[in-house]
Amino acid sequence: MLIAQFAVHKNSQRQGLGKMMLIRALEHAYEINKYLPSFAVIVDTLGDGVESFYAQYDFQKLNIHSHRTRLFLPMKTVAQLCEV
């Protein structure tokens, strides 16, 4: 399941908004996965330093696509996070 990209405006960074958006997106992916099963959630990073944001949530590097790093989080991990 591809969550192509999302970002927080520079003036609003470091306030936890990215974390909240990611958690909400993963919750939606978990619900959708019940009806349209997928192996993983995939994100495309928007710029340098963004990989570290996703790494803290256990996203792993998949490949480089259109000059952006593509990361993934297995759906099994998403399920574990959402079922707590």
Side-chain angles (χ1 to χ4, degrees):
M1 183 173 306
L2 177 64
I3 303 174
Q5 53 200 4
F6 62 80
V8 175
H9 189 276
K10 289 182 181 187
N11 294 341
S12 299
Q13 291 179 355
R14 307 278 184 226
Q15 297 177 30
L17 298 175
K19 179 180 179 177
M20 287 189 294
M21 286 185 352
L22 179 59
I23 290 170
R24 191 72 171 140
L26 293 177
E27 289 171 343
H28 284 295
Y30 173 72
E31 291 300 319
I32 292 167
N33 190 59
K34 293 176 183 177
Y35 305 99
L36 297 169
S38 57
F39 173 74
V41 172
I42 298 171
V43 295
D44 292 335
T45 60
L46 289 172
D48 298 335
V50 180
E51 286 181 49
S52 61
F53 169 78
Y54 290 106
Q56 65 186 337
Y57 302 103
D58 295 328
F59 277 80
Q60 301 166 32
K61 188 178 286 190
L62 181 62
N63 63 14
I64 305 294
H65 179 73
S66 300
H67 307 289
R68 294 187 172 129
T69 302
R70 184 165 271 186
L71 307 171
F72 77 99
L73 184 67
M75 196 55 76
K76 287 182 180 181
T77 303
V78 175
Q80 291 171 344
L81 294 170
C82 291
E83 291 173 356
V84 174

